[in-house]
């Protein structure tokens, strides 16, 4: 008798789960110091995992944090800008926007009527939603598979909110 225990395959989150993440991850405020702390937390997570990512935090059109880790490339910065524009336009996570299009049997690229050189509904950019103010910016990771980029940002926001 063999004891062949394998981990269950990871499931792709559905629209309901993605929307629940956004409802749960609302910030009481978001200052310059908060941007530094959240960005530093993401860098720490990426270093622990040796993830070749770039990290970016924007608020109201201003870049508050940026870091490029070993293995990342200038292409990651282009992806960050494209994913962040989706958050700014739709007010929700870039992965959720793509999932909503897929649920309708189409793709963001073919149905959004937005320039794919400027917008990418791929995972990794998450809205910075502040209580009483709404979406004021975005935190973005690029360099992994899109679901892993998304999960890294969600994990960092969960930890960040838990440490407040």
């Amino acid at each position: 008798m063999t004891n062949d225990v394998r981990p269950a395959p990871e499931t792709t989150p559905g629209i309901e789960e993605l929307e629940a993440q956004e409802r749960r991850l609302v910030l009481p405020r978001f200052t310059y110091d908060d941007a530094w702390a959240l960005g530093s937390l993401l860098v720490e997570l990426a270093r622990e995992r040796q993830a070749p990512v770039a990290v970016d935090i924007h608020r109201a059109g201003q870049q508050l944090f940026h870091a490029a880790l070993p293995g990342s490339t200038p292409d990651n910065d282009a992806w960050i800008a494209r994913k962040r524009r989706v958050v700014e336009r739709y007010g929700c996570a870039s992965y959720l926007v793509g999932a909503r299009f897929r649920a309708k049997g189409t793709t963001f690229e073919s149905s959004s009527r937005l320039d794919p050189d400027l917008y990418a509904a791929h995972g990794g950019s998450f809205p910075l939603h502040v209580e009483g103010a709404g979406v004021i910016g975005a935190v973005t990771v690029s360099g992994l598979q899109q679901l892993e980029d998304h999960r890294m940002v969600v994990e960092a926001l969960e930890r960040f909110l838990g440490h407040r």
Side-chain angles (χ1 to χ4, degrees):
M1 181 172 168
T2 63
N3 190 2
D4 189 16
V5 179
R6 295 180 190 176
E10 290 192 66
T11 59
T12 302
I15 290 172
E16 300 78 20
E17 181 180 343
L18 296 168
E19 289 172 343
Q21 289 172 347
E22 291 194 4
R23 287 190 300 274
R24 188 175 73 249
L25 299 173
V26 175
L27 304 156
R29 67 180 190 286
F30 198 74
T31 66
Y32 290 96
D33 288 339
D34 292 329
W36 180 260
L38 177 59
S40 297
L41 175 58
L42 276 161
V43 168
E44 180 183 321
L45 289 173
R47 282 187 174 150
E48 287 172 3
R49 297 165 191 179
Q50 298 180 336
V53 298
V55 176
D56 182 87
I57 299 175
H58 264 72
R59 183 185 69 184
Q62 182 183 20
Q63 185 177 51
L64 301 184
F65 185 94
H66 184 84
L69 279 74
S72 66
T73 69
D75 195 44
N76 296 121
D77 293 330
W79 275 97
I80 283 171
R82 292 169 61 217
K83 293 189 280 189
R84 186 187 72 245
R85 285 187 195 104
V86 168
V87 172
E88 292 167 348
R89 184 167 185 117
Y90 289 86
C92 58
S94 54
Y95 192 77
L96 174 57
V97 172
R100 286 177 173 159
F101 277 91
R102 289 187 295 276
K104 294 177 186 175
T106 186
T107 65
F108 176 81
E109 295 77 11
S110 65
S111 297
S112 70
R113 300 180 63 182
L114 296 172
D115 184 345
D117 289 337
L118 297 176
Y119 295 87
H122 291 255
S125 193
F126 201 91
L128 293 170
H129 188 150
V130 174
E131 291 173 14
V135 176
I136 54 96
V139 53
T140 311
V141 168
S142 175
L144 306 172
Q145 295 294 321
Q146 66 169 325
L147 181 54
E148 294 311 308
D149 282 346
H150 175 83
R151 285 184 172 145
M152 184 177 284
V153 173
V154 168
E155 179 182 345
L157 282 167
E158 288 170 343
R159 287 188 187 191
F160 181 73
L161 283 166
H163 288 103
R164 293 186 104 77

